[in-house]
Amino acid sequence: MRRLGSTRRTGRTRRRVTAAAACAAALAALTAVPAQAHGSGHGAPHWELKETGTPEVRFRGLAAVSRNTAWAAGTGGTVLRTTDGGATWRNVSPPGAAELQFRDVEAFDARRAVVLAIGEGEASRVYHTDDGGATWTESFRNTDPKAFYDCLAFFDPRHGLAMSDPVDGKFRILSTGDGGRTWKVLPNAGMPAAQEGEAGFAASGQCLVTSGPKDVWLATGGAARARVLHSADRGHTWKATDTALPAGDPARGVFALAFRDRGQGLAVGGDFRPDQPSPQAAARTPDGGRTWRPAATPPPAYRSGVAWLPHSRTAALAVGPTGTDLTADGGRTWRTVDTGSYDTVDCTPGRGCWAAGEKGRVARLEH
C-alpha cells in the first residue's frame, strides 16, 4: 500500500479502524440473522437487488471498483457500468458484440476496464476501454481452433494474464504488460501436463486469480482430480496440487478461487448440474496452494463464486444458483445466509461487495 506520509497516518489509522469495526459489525449480523431474513430486512447486512433493466442477460463477469462503481459483463455481448451504487446502469456494450458471451471483466476504475468473451476459436476475444465504455478496442482475437479462453486476471493496472483450456496437452496462458492493449502467448515449457478432460470453468471469472505482484492461481475441473495450479512468476512456471473438491466428471471441479494474500486462499465448486449433489464443495489453503484442506462444514450445494470480505482476515462469501454462504473462520465452516441466485461475487477494500447472476440480477451488500 502506498504510504501517505506521517501527517496523514493518524487519519488513515482512524479510517482503517472505522472500516474494520463496520466490517466486524456486519459480520456479526450476517452470522446471527437466519437466511430467510436476508434480502427483506433493513437492519442487517443483506443483498439488495439493483435494477439493471436486462432480465434477459446472465452476468457471470463482475468487477467491483467501490461501493459506487461496478462493472458487469454477460450474455448477448452485454457490459453494464454503474457509478452511483447501482441506482442507474449505463449499457456500455462494445458495438457488434451481440453474439458474444462475456464471462469476465476486470476494471481498474470507472473508466478503464478489460472484458473477456469466451468460446471456441474466434469467439474468444478481449476488449479494453479507457473512457468508461464509450469506445472499445478489440485487443485479442483467438485464431487457434483448439483454444477456448475462460478467465482473465490482473496483478496491477498494466500486467495481467488470461487462460485457455489445454492446447496440445497444456493450459495456455496469455500475457499483457500494457493494461490489456496487447497480448502474447507465453511459452508452455513451465506448465505441467493437463489431465485427460481437464479444463477451466468460465462460470464466474474466478478460475484465474492473483494476489500481489507475481502470484497467480488457476482452477481446474472435468478430470479425475480437481486441481489448483500456482505460479509465483506471473505465469511462466506452474505447480499443480490436487484438491478434495468433487471430480471425475466434466461437470465437476474447482469453479472459483479467492486469495486474501499469497498464503491464505479459498476454493469452491462442486457439480454444476442442479440434480446432482456437491459434497465437499469448498476447501482452504494456508500456504499459497501447496496443500488444500476440505471444509469441515462446506456449503450445502455447488458454488461458482467466492470473495473475501474487506477488512477481515477470516470472513468470506461464496455464491451459487441456490444461495450465498458465509464463513467466519477462514473457510473451515460455511453457513447459508441468503437463498437468492448469483453466479459471481466481488468485494473491494472500501466495503463494496457486489454479486451478479441470471436474469439480469446484480446486487450490493447493504449494511
Side-chain angles (χ1 to χ4, degrees), residues 77-102:
T78 306
V79 180
L80 303 185
R81 185 195 63 156
T82 182
T83 56
D84 56 12
T88 61
W89 294 85
R90 180 183 176 190
N91 189 326
V92 294
S93 305
E99 300 302 317
L100 300 179
Q101 289 199 44
F102 289 126

Side-chain angles (χ1 to χ4, degrees), residues 100-169:
L100 300 179
Q101 289 199 44
F102 289 126
R103 295 292 183 92
D104 201 354
V105 55
E106 299 291 327
F108 312 113
D109 50 40
R111 297 184 61 81
R112 297 176 296 163
V114 180
V115 295
L116 171 72
I118 62 100
E120 297 178 349
E122 293 191 6
S124 285
R125 306 178 194 179
V126 178
Y127 295 79
H128 79 88
T129 181
D130 293 317
D131 55 14
T135 61
W136 293 88
T137 301
E138 182 184 306
S139 56
F140 172 77
R141 182 180 298 207
N142 174 50
T143 58
D144 189 335
K146 295 179 290 184
F148 185 115
Y149 286 84
D150 300 291
C151 294
L152 56 81
F154 276 78
F155 303 96
D156 56 53
R158 292 187 58 82
H159 301 91
L161 302 176
M163 59 82 68
S164 163
D165 289 341
V167 176
D168 298 329

